[in-house]
Amino acid sequence: MGNVVSLQKPPESEAGIERLVGLVSGDMARVNEMILSRTGSDVQLIPEVAAHLIESGGKRLRPMLTLAGAQMFGYDGSRHIKLAASVEFMHTATLLHDDVVDESDMRRGKAAARMVWGNEASVLVGDFLLGQAFKMMVEVGSLPALDVLSDAAAVIAEGEVMQLVTAQNTTTNEDEYLAVIRAKTAALFAAACEVGAIVADRSADERGALRSYGTNLGLAFQLVDDALDYSGAQANLGKRVGDDFRDGKITLPVLLAYRRGDDDERAFWKRCLNDRQSSEADLDRAIALMATHRALDDTIARARHYGAMARDALEIFPKSDYRQALTDVVDFCVSRTY
Amino acid sequence: MGNVVSLQKPPESEAGIERLVGLVSGDMARVNEMILSRTGSDVQLIPEVAAHLIESGGKRLRPMLTLAGAQMFGYDGSRHIKLAASVEFMHTATLLHDDVVDESDMRRGKAAARMVWGNEASVLVGDFLLGQAFKMMVEVGSLPALDVLSDAAAVIAEGEVMQLVTAQNTTTNEDEYLAVIRAKTAALFAAACEVGAIVADRSADERGALRSYGTNLGLAFQLVDDALDYSGAQANLGKRVGDDFRDGKITLPVLLAYRRGDDDERAFWKRCLNDRQSSEADLDRAIALMATHRALDDTIARARHYGAMARDALEIFPKSDYRQALTDVVDFCVSRTY
């Protein structure tokens, strides 16, 4: 395998997210309180399932982006708290539904909620969180923010269906794949950032800049995630190497290896992914083929491209701790594999 | 069995809904267009699944209530069209998710979407429709309408989880059961009616009256549905008799028969519903026990009570074709079994 899998994260990638964490920690405590209070229900199952997922140690990157997006303009109200909680609920609902759709056993190193409480509870608690997310947005009362977030919700759902369709088709091309992750991942990053600027009453240019930052950060984030699934660094994230492969998921590393492979290799990818007939030995061969064709390295290179776009989007803002923190997040995302 | 199952619907129950259908037919054509245009997607699976469910001949009672709720006050804008379509999408999303949770094979006499396209597509297209529903609401731009509908979405989702918890517990009491159907069914009826009055800019009293009408109509509707599941009239609705029984669902007819039964009968209900061990012979016995204890007749009697409340809620409005049409709907719902 290439260097992608053999190197550990250097210390600076940890520092990358710490600046953001530090800047928003006060408001993030309020978001966490909001999250807990909004998963309360007399129906005991709801707080149980929600707590399982919400307290399972996700980074809460998306709500932090909303908070930073408002704070960097000196916003001192409290509307960003509920919007940030909404964003996290939308994300959590997606995870619950994804696990059902993917038949996942694990999520962030713990049993997936559906393994503990069943698919039914995962579907319905996901719906509950989505409902709460919309309720909170509406309570905030900003129609532009509602517009951005409800649009994201529709786009995400469309992206999930799109992924279901392309999931096992190895001939999916890179543009088609980008359309999927633009919808299912980048749209929420974009919305999370943009609503921060919206509550701070910023200009269309500034909203657009944060939106563009979020979109490209989201694309970079997802591409790195795709590469991590085939790399040793994966173990740090509490997921097994090769989950995407076993699920027959077509991701960029696969697309690249498939397109760059010969007939024999393409037949291999089709059998493993289109027909879902793969063994652990097949996974080893898949990883070896990716190394041969530099598929992981180039996936990371693509991610770096979007990372660069994200950084540039921030250039219209004067230098500040916030701008630096958002830039650091890009570096953190892109360097997760190294 | 009692008279509930042996009688056919008389002609006047058809007439009951026809007045409403006639009054809103012009606007309903616009809602149908909106529904079709909003299920369009480049992702072919989405219009396919949506069309399967949306064109499968539901009555579209909920969006008609929204239209009537606006038209009865002479509202001549077009905001009620999108809100009505939102209401239908919320309902359709719930059906898709319910079928997955209940593992239903059939829906309105056709194969359930999940049987044709799989659980994955049903979960995700449900999410897509929910996303589109919120998008349309936001486009309408009325914060009070958004408030009512997003609140309904949250309450419905909570009700679904509540039902999952109580589903197989025969000792659920009537109040607990009412709380479930108030959330999972009545909340959307209430919201559908109330947003009609909201776009027509009516007073809090008038909004409240339509809301109360919707809540009680929804309760009556659900209770009759529960009774129908154990009655011969069910075949007309494209569902098999006894689906709730096979799913181990606790509904009012079961609660009443259980509470009125002796120890032997209670053991029977527990085995069939708590433990989910039932045969077709058990279904026959269940129906016979309901007849003995007048459980279906009394479920219908309860439904009539809520129906009466719904009718009374309309009393503050001057007599009109619309008020009569809404009253007819109550009669239609309650008389579906007779």
Side-chain angles (χ1 to χ4, degrees):
Chain A
M1 287 239 26
N3 60 353
V4 173
V5 297
S6 53
L7 297 173
Q8 291 298 313
K9 290 192 279 186
E12 64 266 32
S13 73
E14 292 293 338
I17 201 167
E18 282 314 317
R19 191 189 301 259
L20 177 66
V21 170
L23 286 171
V24 302
S25 66
D27 281 348
M28 199 62 208
R30 295 166 68 197
V31 172
N32 287 334
E33 266 172 48
M34 181 67 65
I35 285 174
L36 284 178
S37 80
R38 288 312 191 103
T39 48
S41 167
D42 292 340
V43 186
Q44 185 56 29
L45 186 62
I46 291 175
E48 268 180 39
V49 177
H52 175 83
L53 204 62
I54 289 171
E55 292 168 4
S56 72
K59 287 179 297 299
R60 309 246 169 120
L61 186 52
R62 296 161 188 79
M64 286 199 291
L65 293 173
T66 302
L67 297 178
Q71 287 183 5
M72 72 183 284
F73 302 115
Y75 175 70
D76 61 358
S78 61
R79 302 206 293 174
H80 59 326
I81 305 297
K82 272 189 186 164
L83 291 177
S86 290
V87 163
E88 184 67 5
F89 275 16
M90 285 171 67
H91 174 56
T92 308
T94 308
L95 296 184
L96 280 166
H97 287 185
D98 275 358
D99 283 346
V100 172
V101 169
D102 296 345
E103 300 178 350
S104 307
D105 303 340
M106 304 281 283
R107 164 71 64 188
R108 292 179 189 147
K110 291 172 70 174
R114 69 177 207 96
M115 300 304 289
V116 184
W117 291 278
N119 281 339
E120 301 90 339
S122 291
V123 170
L124 296 179
V125 174
D127 291 354
F128 174 81
L129 292 177
L130 219 48
Q132 287 294 330
F134 279 107
K135 230 167 108 76
M136 282 190 281
M137 288 172 216
V138 171
E139 285 166 12
V140 168
S142 157
L143 277 174
L146 267 164
D147 195 29
V148 165
L149 288 168
S150 66
D151 196 52
V155 168
I156 292 164
E158 190 170 16
E160 297 279 352
V161 182
M162 217 189 294
Q163 184 175 43
L164 192 65
V165 175
T166 61
Q168 285 151 39
N169 180 8
T170 48
T171 62
T172 304
N173 69 38
E174 184 166 348
D175 276 332
E176 289 165 341
Y177 179 65
L178 274 176
V180 170
I181 66 173
R182 202 174 274 282
K184 96 180 173 76
T185 307
L188 188 56
F189 275 84
C193 293
E194 188 175 3
V195 296
I198 287 173
V199 293
D201 264 330
R202 307 308 292 193
S203 70
D205 274 1
E206 289 167 309
R207 280 177 53 171
L210 276 191
R211 177 168 192 84
S212 170
Y213 165 79
T215 300
N216 288 292
L217 174 66
L219 291 173
F221 181 89
Q222 184 62 56
L223 291 174
V224 170
D225 227 44
D226 292 346
L228 280 170
D229 194 70
Y230 290 96
S231 87
Q234 181 71 341
N236 299 332
L237 302 178
K239 288 164 76 182
R240 288 180 306 172
V241 171
D243 275 344
D244 289 348
F245 184 75
R246 287 181 207 95
D247 290 344
K249 266 194 199 156
I250 304 305
T251 57
L252 188 59
V254 171
L255 291 193
L256 295 178
Y258 177 84
R259 299 181 101 75
R260 294 169 184 181
D262 58 23
D263 285 351
D264 174 56
E265 290 170 25
R266 291 187 186 177
F268 163 78
W269 290 111
K270 281 193 169 157
R271 170 173 62 78
C272 294
L273 300 172
N274 295 16
D275 308 337
R276 298 284 284 278
Q277 296 171 347
S278 68
S279 64
E280 290 305 293
D282 288 328
L283 175 59
D284 290 340
R285 184 176 179 203
I287 292 173
L289 288 175
M290 284 177 183
T292 305
H293 296 296
R294 298 186 52 82
L296 293 184
D297 291 345
D298 285 352
T299 296
I300 299 298
R302 303 285 211 274
R304 284 172 189 272
H305 161 82
Y306 295 108
M309 288 177 67
R311 264 187 233 100
D312 280 326
L314 298 174
E315 289 285 331
I316 65 162
F317 301 116
K319 286 198 169 141
S320 71
D321 270 1
Y322 285 99
R323 179 175 142 185
Q324 188 56 52
L326 294 177
T327 305
D328 287 356
V329 172
V330 177
D331 297 337
F332 163 77
C333 283
V334 173
S335 65
R336 282 190 298 161
T337 41
Y338 288 103
Chain B
M1 286 235 28
N3 60 352
V4 173
V5 297
S6 53
L7 296 173
Q8 291 298 314
K9 290 193 280 186
E12 63 266 32
S13 73
E14 292 294 339
I17 200 166
E18 282 314 317
R19 191 189 302 258
L20 176 66
V21 169
L23 286 170
V24 302
S25 66
D27 281 348
M28 200 61 208
R30 294 166 68 197
V31 171
N32 287 333
E33 267 172 46
M34 182 67 64
I35 285 175
L36 284 178
S37 80
R38 287 312 190 103
T39 48
S41 167
D42 292 340
V43 186
Q44 185 56 29
L45 186 62
I46 291 176
E48 266 180 39
V49 177
H52 175 83
L53 203 61
I54 289 171
E55 293 168 3
S56 72
K59 286 180 296 300
R60 307 242 169 124
L61 186 52
R62 293 161 189 80
M64 287 198 291
L65 293 174
T66 302
L67 298 178
Q71 287 183 6
M72 73 184 282
F73 302 115
Y75 174 70
D76 61 359
S78 61
R79 304 207 292 174
H80 59 326
I81 305 296
K82 272 189 186 165
L83 292 177
S86 291
V87 163
E88 184 66 5
F89 275 16
M90 286 172 67
H91 173 56
T92 308
T94 308
L95 296 185
L96 280 165
H97 288 185
D98 275 357
D99 284 346
V100 173
V101 169
D102 296 345
E103 301 179 348
S104 306
D105 303 340
M106 304 281 284
R107 165 71 64 189
R108 292 180 190 146
K110 291 172 72 174
R114 71 178 207 96
M115 300 304 288
V116 184
W117 292 279
N119 282 339
E120 301 90 340
S122 291
V123 170
L124 297 179
V125 175
D127 290 353
F128 174 82
L129 292 177
L130 217 49
Q132 287 295 331
F134 279 107
K135 231 167 108 76
M136 284 190 280
M137 287 172 217
V138 171
E139 285 166 12
V140 168
S142 156
L143 278 174
L146 268 164
D147 195 30
V148 165
L149 286 169
S150 66
D151 196 53
V155 167
I156 291 164
E158 191 170 17
E160 298 279 351
V161 182
M162 216 189 294
Q163 184 175 42
L164 192 65
V165 176
T166 60
Q168 285 150 40
N169 179 7
T170 46
T171 61
T172 304
N173 69 38
E174 183 165 350
D175 275 332
E176 289 164 342
Y177 179 65
L178 273 177
V180 170
I181 66 173
R182 201 173 275 281
K184 98 180 173 75
T185 307
L188 187 56
F189 275 84
C193 293
E194 187 175 4
V195 295
I198 287 173
V199 293
D201 265 330
R202 306 308 292 193
S203 70
D205 274 1
E206 289 167 309
R207 281 177 53 171
L210 276 190
R211 178 167 191 85
S212 170
Y213 165 80
T215 300
N216 288 292
L217 175 65
L219 292 173
F221 181 88
Q222 184 61 56
L223 291 174
V224 170
D225 228 43
D226 292 347
L228 279 170
D229 193 70
Y230 290 95
S231 87
Q234 181 72 340
N236 299 332
L237 302 178
K239 289 164 77 182
R240 287 180 306 171
V241 172
D243 276 342
D244 289 348
F245 184 75
R246 287 181 207 94
D247 290 344
K249 267 195 199 155
I250 304 305
T251 57
L252 188 59
V254 171
L255 292 193
L256 295 178
Y258 177 84
R259 297 181 102 74
R260 294 170 184 181
D262 59 24
D263 285 349
D264 174 58
E265 290 170 25
R266 290 185 186 178
F268 162 79
W269 289 110
K270 281 192 169 158
R271 171 174 61 78
C272 294
L273 300 172
N274 296 16
D275 308 337
R276 296 284 285 277
Q277 295 171 348
S278 67
S279 65
E280 289 305 295
D282 287 329
L283 175 59
D284 290 340
R285 183 175 179 203
I287 292 173
L289 289 175
M290 285 177 181
T292 305
H293 295 296
R294 296 186 52 82
L296 293 183
D297 291 346
D298 285 351
T299 296
I300 299 296
R302 304 284 211 274
R304 285 173 188 273
H305 160 81
Y306 295 108
M309 288 177 67
R311 264 186 233 100
D312 279 327
L314 298 175
E315 288 285 332
I316 65 160
F317 302 117
K319 285 197 171 147
S320 72
D321 270 1
Y322 285 98
R323 180 175 143 185
Q324 188 56 52
L326 293 177
T327 305
D328 287 356
V329 171
V330 177
D331 297 337
F332 163 77
C333 284
V334 173
S335 66
R336 283 190 297 162
T337 41
Y338 287 102

